[in-house]
């Protein structure tokens, strides 16, 4: 790794403890991690091992109990909740297992959603949406509601939504968990395209070894400890 | 796409629930308007009361008479511009309670000088004044029985023995809405001539018009002072105070009605609040997704408030437009049972208050769900499967 280029993600001594009443539940224990800019890395591990928790910390959705989370050279602890929200909208694209599209909006409108937080004009927003839908190959489905799309198509719309703001970091929590083999392959091919073509940093959690194979590096998490 | 579009789409997510909520809210608004108007009707006598009119009555009780001889003495007082008298007749045209309407013996020469809110053609007035047993009837009363000029009405009185026949000489109208036109008035002479000696020359009330409303308290004091030591002491008060005295008799009912109207506001709050809360709960994951993308708590609260306010506005407008015709229909039914009532006009203030209350309640209803949605950390909202 080139020492001059800071890693996209750097975790140092990160732990997360949830409190259930008086009981403390340690979920992550002193995790050290570095993910280079432009990398495509996967996390695997049994259910409850803390994979989603780790992604939430990396993407600024949650804060660690101890330790430092740095993304793109920025210590997330320094940001207020509001600043963190702005930071996420500018730097992170999210992809979820259940797609999380708004059911009342069309595909194009769903993709446009994160752009409402930018100063882009209506026409510019439309152009970005068209480009993102083009990337995922769903231009012809732009006016369909999520309920009128297959699971694979919905996930591709979600990918378009994640990339429409041109984020540095794309976070995907079991993106193929709910898809059949063929749709899963399409999604993973898209990831590779984003990785190779657009030099995006991709961090993915998956249960599926086939999916993990697409990544450059696979991390294993076991009871909150990175192996 | 913009925020308004998003809110609109979200609102229509469940059209059935939305329309049921709007209709329920509108029914609440209508009920609110309805009850408030009923209260207004009670107060309407006081509301149309003239500020420059005083009512002089027997100090002992409203039912005790005053001597007719007070007429010139009061008329001569400074500040008094007109005076007339009236006596409750309590006439009925049949045994039926439904046929009851107000009937009064009045002084034909002076009545309209004091009660200028009544108007009728001059030739009818002259005919009325020329006929000792002439009568005037209000427009609503005339319409109710199909009576017209020249008809004769025979009545019995709850107070005076015998049968009394009056000749209808004219039909009066109100010069503005809210003026009661359900009564019959006839010449005092017709009554007085037939009474036994010890009942003669007595009247129920005097109505006095003053030149300057600001001085009406002074004039009232002068009248009462003049008769303070006589066997027929007087109590003089403004017409408004006099009418409110009547309202006070039913104040317990009015308080209850007002209370119920407020309960209805609470029900609107609960109905809309329930819908909003359900909507927010269903969208826990959507809201968490928006916030993950960088939308602020402010955005979420705005969405919830806008949605709720839209429901409130729809319910308010619907209720506001549906209430007056409904009220008219209701009053028609009531009148067919109990006889004509004073004009029911739903005051614009009542309509505005109801619509505003609906919007206010809807905004209030949104606060709880909005706050609850914000309390849930984003990461946890994403975890929730709905
Ligand atoms: N808000 C919370 N309060 C308490 N415990 C929590 C909370 N969120 C997560 N946990 C616990 O932390 C542990 C790790 O959760 P996490 O979602 O990170 O696991 P995961 O590896 O993503 O599992 P899966 O593969 O099932 O998605 C679990 O035991 C979970 O019950
Ligand atoms: Mg998980």
């Amino acid at each position: 790794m080139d020492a001059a280029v800071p890693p996209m993600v750097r975790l140092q001594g990160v732990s997360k403890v949830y409190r259930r009443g008086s009981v403390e539940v340690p979920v992550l224990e002193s995790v050290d991690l570095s993910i280079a800019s432009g990398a495509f890395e996967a996390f695997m591990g049994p259910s409850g091992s803390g994979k989603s928790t780790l992604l939430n910390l990396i993407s600024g959705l949650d804060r660690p109990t101890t330790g430092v989370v740095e993304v793109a050279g920025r210590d997330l602890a320094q940001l207020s909740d509001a600043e963190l929200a702005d930071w996420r909208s500018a730097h992170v694209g999210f992809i979820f297992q259940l797609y999380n599209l708004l059911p009342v909006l069309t595909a194009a409108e769903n993709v446009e959603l994160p752009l409402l937080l930018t100063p882009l004009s209506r026409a510019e927003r439309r152009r970005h949406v068209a480009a993102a839908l083009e990337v995922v190959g769903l231009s012809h489905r732009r006016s369909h509601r999520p309920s009128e799309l297959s699971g694979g198509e919905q996930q591709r719309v979600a990918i378009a939504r994640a990339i429409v703001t041109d984020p540095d970091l794309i976070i995907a929590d079991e993106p193929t968990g709910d898809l059949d083999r063929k749709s899963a392959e399409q999604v993973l091919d898209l990831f590779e395209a984003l990785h190779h073509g657009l030099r995006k940093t991709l961090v993915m959690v998956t249960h599926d070894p086939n999916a993990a194979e697409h990544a450059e590096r696979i991390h294993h998490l076991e009871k909150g400890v990175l192996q | 796409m913009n925020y308004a579009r998003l809110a609109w789409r979200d609102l229509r997510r469940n059209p059935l629930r939305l329309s049921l909520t709007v209709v329920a809210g509108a029914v609440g608004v209508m009920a609110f308007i309805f009850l408030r108007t009923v209260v207004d009707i009670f107060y309407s006598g006081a509301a149309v009361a003239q500020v420059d009119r005083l009512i002089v009555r027997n100090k002992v009780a409203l039912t005790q008479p005053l001597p007719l001889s007070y007429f010139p003495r009061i008329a001569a007082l400074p500040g008094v511009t007109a005076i007339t008298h009236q006596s409750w007749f309590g006439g009925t045209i049949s045994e039926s309670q439904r046929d009851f309407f107000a009937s009064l013996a009045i002084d034909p020469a002076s009545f309209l000088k004091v009660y200028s809110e009544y108007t009728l053609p001059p030739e009818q007035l002259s005919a009325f004044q020329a006929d000792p047993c002439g009568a005037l009837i209000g427009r609503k009363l005339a319409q109710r029985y199909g009576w017209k000029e020249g008809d004769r009405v025979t009545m019995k009185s709850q107070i005076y023995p015998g049968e009394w026949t009056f000749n209808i000489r004219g039909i009066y109208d109100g010069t503005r809405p809210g003026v009661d036109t359900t009564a019959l008035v006839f010449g005092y002479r017709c009554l007085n001539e037939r009474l036994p000696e010890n009942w003669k020359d007595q009247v129920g009330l005097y109505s006095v018009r003053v030149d300057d409303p600001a001085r009406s308290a002074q004039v009232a004091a002068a009248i009462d002072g003049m008769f303070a030591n006589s066997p027929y002491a007087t109590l003089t008060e403004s017409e408004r105070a006099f009418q409110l005295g009547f309202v006070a008799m039913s104040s317990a009912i009015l308080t209850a009605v007002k209370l119920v109207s407020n309960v209805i506001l609470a029900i609107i709050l609960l109905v809309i609040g329930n819908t909003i809360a359900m909507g927010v709960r269903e969208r826990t994951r959507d809201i968490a997704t928006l916030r993950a993308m960088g939308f602020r708590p402010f955005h979420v609260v705005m969405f919830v408030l806008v949605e709720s306010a839209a429901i409130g506005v729809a319910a308010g407008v619907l209720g506001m437009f549906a209430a007056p015709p409904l009220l008219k229909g209701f009053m028609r039914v009531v009148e067919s049972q109990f006889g004509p009532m004073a004009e029911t006009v739903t005051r614009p203030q009542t309509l505005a208050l109801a619509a505003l209350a609906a919007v206010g309640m809807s905004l209030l209803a949104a606060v709880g769900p909005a706050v609850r949605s914000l309390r849930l950390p984003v990461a946890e909202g994403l975890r929730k499967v709905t």
Side-chain angles (χ1 to χ4, degrees), chain A residues 11-17 26-33 54 66-68 221 223-227:
Chain A
L11 270 60
Q12 195 167 42
V14 165
S15 67
K16 179 77 185 174
V17 178
V27 177
L28 291 175
E29 280 174 56
S30 55
V31 172
D32 296 316
L33 175 71
L54 184 65
T66 61
V68 179
L221 209 55
K223 289 190 182 144
V225 179
L226 211 51
Q227 304 295 303

Side-chain angles (χ1 to χ4, degrees), chain A residues 134-146:
Chain A
E134 186 69 45
V135 169
V136 300
L138 283 177
S139 301
H140 59 299
R141 294 300 180 106
R142 49 171 302 116
S143 307
H144 289 241
R145 297 280 177 95

Side-chain angles (χ1 to χ4, degrees), chain A residues 135-220:
Chain A
V135 169
V136 300
L138 283 177
S139 301
H140 59 299
R141 294 300 180 106
R142 49 171 302 116
S143 307
H144 289 241
R145 297 280 177 95
S147 59
E148 299 158 349
L149 298 172
S150 73
E153 287 168 332
Q154 287 186 61
Q155 193 60 298
R156 279 148 67 199
V157 172
I159 292 170
R161 181 180 65 184
I163 62 174
V164 75
T165 52
D166 196 23
D168 313 314
L169 181 61
I170 293 174
I171 297 286
D173 196 348
E174 300 192 25
T176 59
D178 235 42
L179 299 179
D180 59 56
R181 165 110 269 132
K182 193 163 154 265
S183 304
E185 280 306 323
Q186 279 181 327
V187 164
L188 291 162
D189 287 347
L190 266 174
F191 280 6
E192 295 225 26
L194 295 179
H195 169 53
H196 290 122
L198 299 173
R199 310 295 313 157
K200 299 286 173 207
T201 309
L202 277 116
V203 180
M204 171 175 80
V205 160
T206 184
H207 271 123
D208 177 8
N210 289 318
E213 280 306 315
H214 288 259
E216 298 168 322
R217 185 149 76 119
I218 304 175
H219 304 269
H220 288 275

Side-chain angles (χ1 to χ4, degrees), chain A residues 18 20 27 46-53 174 207, chain B residues 380 383:
Chain A
Y18 284 115
R20 272 197 208 118
V27 177
S47 184
S49 56
K51 305 183 297 294
S52 296
T53 305
E174 300 192 25
H207 271 123
Chain B
E380 229 158 295
R383 227 174 257 281

Side-chain angles (χ1 to χ4, degrees), chain A residues 114-146:
Chain A
L115 295 179
L116 293 182
L117 294 169
T118 68
L120 293 181
S121 74
R122 206 185 170 78
E124 287 170 319
R125 291 203 305 263
R126 204 170 295 165
R127 243 194 349 267
H128 281 73
V129 169
L133 281 172
E134 186 69 45
V135 169
V136 300
L138 283 177
S139 301
H140 59 299
R141 294 300 180 106
R142 49 171 302 116
S143 307
H144 289 241
R145 297 280 177 95

Side-chain angles (χ1 to χ4, degrees), chain B residues 23 27 29 51 62 92 143 158 179 187 205 209 215 228 296 338 363:
Chain B
V23 168
V27 168
V29 170
V51 288
L62 189 56
T92 54
Q143 281 164 352
Q158 299 157 333
V179 172
L205 309 165
R209 182 163 234 174
R215 281 183 43 208
R296 299 281 192 85
F338 301 102
L363 287 177

